[in-house]
Amino acid sequence: MTDLKAEIMRLKKERNAIILAHNYQLDEVQEVADYVGDSFYLSKVAAEIDCEVIVFSGVRFMAETAKILSPEKIVLLPEIDAGCPLADMITDEDVRNIKNQHPGVPVVCYINSSTEVKAESDVCCTSSNAVKVISSLPGRKVIFVPDGHLGDYVAKQLPDKELILWAGCCVTHAKVKPEDVLKAKDKYPGAKVLIHPECSPSVVEQADFVGSTSEIIRYAEKSDAKVFIIGTEVGVLCNLRASQPDKQFFLLHPGLVCPNMKKTRLQSVYEALAKNQYEIQVDVDLAAGARRSLTRMLELAQ
Ligand code: 13P
C-alpha cells in the first residue's frame, strides 16, 4: 500500500498531474487526492487548475465535466465503467421532447447527466447551487432534469417557481424510507439528521439540515451537536469520522453505498497514471454546448 502511494506521488510529479476525488470515494483514494469535495467544488477546481493531467476519481459524468471545462488537459477516469444510473435515466431526445411540450421554458439539468443532456440544457446545477441557479432564471416555469427528488426539494424552497420535473432518482439515496429516519431518531435521541436532497421528499422533510455532501460536512464541523445521523453515501461518513473524532456519526441506512463510486481503488489510481487510462474524449460540438450550460452555472453560483 505504501509503495503504491509512493508510486502515485512520483507519477503525479512526473506527469504534472492532479488527483480529484469526490467525497464518496474510498478513504484510500481520498488520501492520495489533491482536492476532495462535492460536485460543484470539483468542477470549479477542474476549470481553474494549472496542470497537464487530471485523474478524476469519481464517476463518468464528473470526468466528462472536467474534460469539457478543461479541454486542453488529459482527463483520466481510473475505472471506465464507473457510471451514474441517475445520469442514464434521461437522454437528449427526452429533453428535446419536453422542450417541445413547453416551448420557451428554460431547462436546468443536474450535473449528474450526460454531455448530450447538458448540451440540450440552458444551464447546469449541482445539489449545492440548484436553488440559487433556478431562482436566478426569469419567468415562473422551469424544466428540471433528471433528478425528481432534488427537483421536489428545490420546488419547495421556491414557491414562486413552477418546476416541470423528470422522474429520475439516485438509486442509492432512494433506498432510504421515511421509517428509517424515525428508527434512527429513536435509536439516537437528540441526534441531528443531515440529509442529501437526492433522498426522497418524505425523507428530506424530516431532516434538520439538507445539503450537498460538502455542505453536510461543513454543517457537522460547525455544529455544537455531538451526534449526527448521516443521510448520504457512506464515503462522507468516513471523512467526518476522521476529521471530527470528538463527534459521533451514524449512517441513516446500511444501503447508502454507491457501487460505482466504490469501483475506484488505490490500484486504479496508480494504473490510471502509469498507463494513461482511461482517457476521456468528448465530441467537440457537444462539448461546446455542454460548456455553455456549465459555464453559466459557474457564473451564477460563484
Ligand atoms: P454532491 O457532491 O454535489 O453533493 O452530489 C453528490 C452526487 O450526486 C454524486 O453523484
Side-chain angles (χ1 to χ4, degrees):
M1 187 76 90
T2 315
D3 287 346
L4 212 48
K5 275 191 184 170
E7 271 304 285
I8 289 171
M9 295 307 153
R10 185 185 65 74
L11 284 166
K12 255 187 2 181
K13 209 168 164 191
E14 188 180 292
R15 300 203 57 192
N16 187 16
I18 59 139
I19 300 173
L20 306 185
H22 189 267
N23 287 320
Y24 293 161
Q25 289 289 292
L26 291 168
D27 281 7
E28 65 186 37
V29 174
Q30 294 196 26
E31 280 167 17
V32 293
D34 300 283
Y35 300 89
V36 179
D38 65 5
S39 308
F40 183 53
Y41 172 73
L42 294 177
S43 43
K44 277 198 300 185
V45 173
E48 291 162 8
I49 195 81
D50 183 17
C51 65
E52 282 172 52
V53 179
I54 294 177
V55 179
F56 209 122
S57 303
V59 293
R60 175 169 271 276
F61 77 80
M62 297 181 173
E64 283 184 1
T65 298
K67 182 67 183 175
I68 293 162
L69 292 170
S70 270
E72 73 292 350
K73 294 183 185 120
I74 293 171
V75 176
L76 304 174
L77 178 67
E79 289 292 334
I80 194 60
D81 59 350
C84 172
L86 168 58
D88 295 337
M89 285 181 190
I90 192 163
T91 64
D92 49 337
E93 195 184 338
D94 293 326
V95 178
R96 282 192 292 276
N97 286 338
I98 314 172
K99 279 170 36 169
N100 286 337
Q101 287 160 28
H102 305 277
V105 176
V107 180
V108 180
C109 70
Y110 192 28
I111 199 162
N112 301 39
S113 56
S114 66
T115 300
E116 287 84 349
V117 165
K118 289 184 178 79
E120 273 300 332
S121 303
D122 295 287
V123 56
C124 198
C125 74
T126 69
S127 58
S128 69
N129 60 38
V131 172
K132 198 170 179 182
V133 166
I134 292 173
S135 67
S136 73
L137 297 174
R140 182 172 159 76
K141 286 190 178 182
V142 177
I143 297 164
F144 180 71
V145 298
D147 190 336
H149 290 171
L150 176 62
D152 180 274
Y153 171 71
V154 174
K156 285 179 178 143
Q157 308 307 302
L158 301 173
D160 292 343
K161 293 280 185 198
E162 187 187 326
L163 267 67
I164 297 151
L165 300 179
W166 186 255
C169 68
C170 163
V171 290
T172 300
H173 284 91
K175 286 181 192 163
V176 186
K177 302 284 173 248
E179 50 274 25
D180 297 318
V181 187
L182 295 175
K183 273 190 219 152
K185 281 182 170 173
D186 260 6
K187 196 165 174 192
Y188 309 109
K192 290 276 182 211
V193 180
L194 317 185
I195 291 186
H196 198 281
E198 286 180 14
C199 286
S200 69
S202 51
V203 169
V204 168
E205 70 189 17
Q206 298 185 64
D208 293 301
F209 176 76
V210 180
S212 77
T213 53
S214 290
E215 287 173 328
I216 286 176
I217 292 168
R218 280 196 292 274
Y219 180 95
E221 273 166 8
K222 288 190 186 145
S223 172
D224 293 332
K226 292 285 176 212
V227 185
F228 301 85
I229 297 161
I230 301 298
T232 190
E233 211 268 355
V234 69
V236 166
L237 195 105
C238 302
N239 181 320
L240 284 166
R241 281 181 178 153
S243 67
Q244 296 166 84
D246 60 322
K247 296 180 179 173
Q248 284 185 294
F249 301 97
F250 300 100
L251 197 61
L252 175 51
H253 186 287
L256 281 165
V257 182
C258 172
N260 281 288
M261 283 284 183
K262 296 317 191 221
K263 284 179 180 159
T264 308
R265 316 287 314 219
L266 199 56
Q267 181 74 28
S268 338
V269 176
Y270 164 71
E271 285 179 19
L273 280 164
K275 301 182 188 167
N276 200 50
Q277 66 189 27
Y278 293 91
E279 189 172 352
I280 296 294
Q281 303 289 1
V282 184
D283 172 85
V284 175
D285 292 332
L286 277 178
R291 191 175 306 115
R292 189 187 25 76
S293 290
L294 285 161
T295 308
R296 196 161 169 209
M297 169 187 78
L298 293 172
E299 286 163 3
L300 287 172
Q302 278 309 316

